[in-house]
Amino acid sequence: MVLLEFSIYPLDKGESLSAYVARCVEIVHTSGLKYQCHAMGTIIEGEYDQVMDVVRKCFEALQRDCHRIECIMKLDYRKGYQDRISGKVRSIEEKLGHPVQK
């Protein structure tokens, strides 16, 4: 299992990009993979091929009407572990002794 954090957006569509981001978040949502959306991107958890397929679909969805696209990705692989999206946060909260802001 891997965690993939990514942000993808067009560079040629002006200041407000939420419609394009929403298009990609819908692709993530319909993938059936566990994900978490935050202000600067999205984290998805799954097998390598699954998460890369989601990014590919997002790129293709934007490519239809965007002439310049930026995608930033960060990948974390740890063999034998699942539910790391929430598990990593729980580990920090245990060490802090209180919840973190979500």
Side-chain angles (χ1 to χ4, degrees):
M1 296 294 273
V2 298
L3 291 179
L4 179 106
E5 180 178 27
F6 78 113
S7 57
I8 186 168
Y9 44 84
L11 295 176
D12 61 339
K13 297 300 180 185
E15 290 183 29
S16 180
L17 303 175
S18 60
Y20 299 94
V21 172
R23 187 186 302 176
C24 293
V25 172
E26 182 62 19
I27 291 167
V28 173
H29 181 75
T30 59
S31 75
L33 297 176
K34 187 171 182 179
Y35 72 96
Q36 201 171 73
C37 208
H38 56 85
M40 299 296 289
T42 303
I43 304 168
I44 52 179
E45 183 172 13
E47 297 297 334
Y48 176 84
D49 289 340
Q50 293 174 307
V51 299
M52 295 307 289
D53 188 51
V54 170
V55 174
R56 179 187 57 76
K57 287 177 180 175
C58 291
F59 176 79
E60 290 171 351
L62 293 182
Q63 190 180 29
R64 290 192 315 259
D65 59 345
C66 301
H67 299 284
R68 189 161 185 200
I69 301 165
E70 182 165 278
C71 181
I72 300 166
M73 294 188 294
K74 189 166 42 170
L75 185 86
D76 179 15
Y77 168 75
R78 188 167 182 192
K79 189 174 185 173
Y81 284 82
Q82 292 184 4
D83 193 32
R84 293 178 58 226
I85 288 177
S86 55
K88 291 179 97 168
V89 175
R90 271 194 312 272
S91 178
I92 297 299
E93 290 175 333
E94 289 169 5
K95 288 166 180 64
L96 288 171
H98 61 78
V100 297
Q101 190 174 20
K102 297 175 188 163

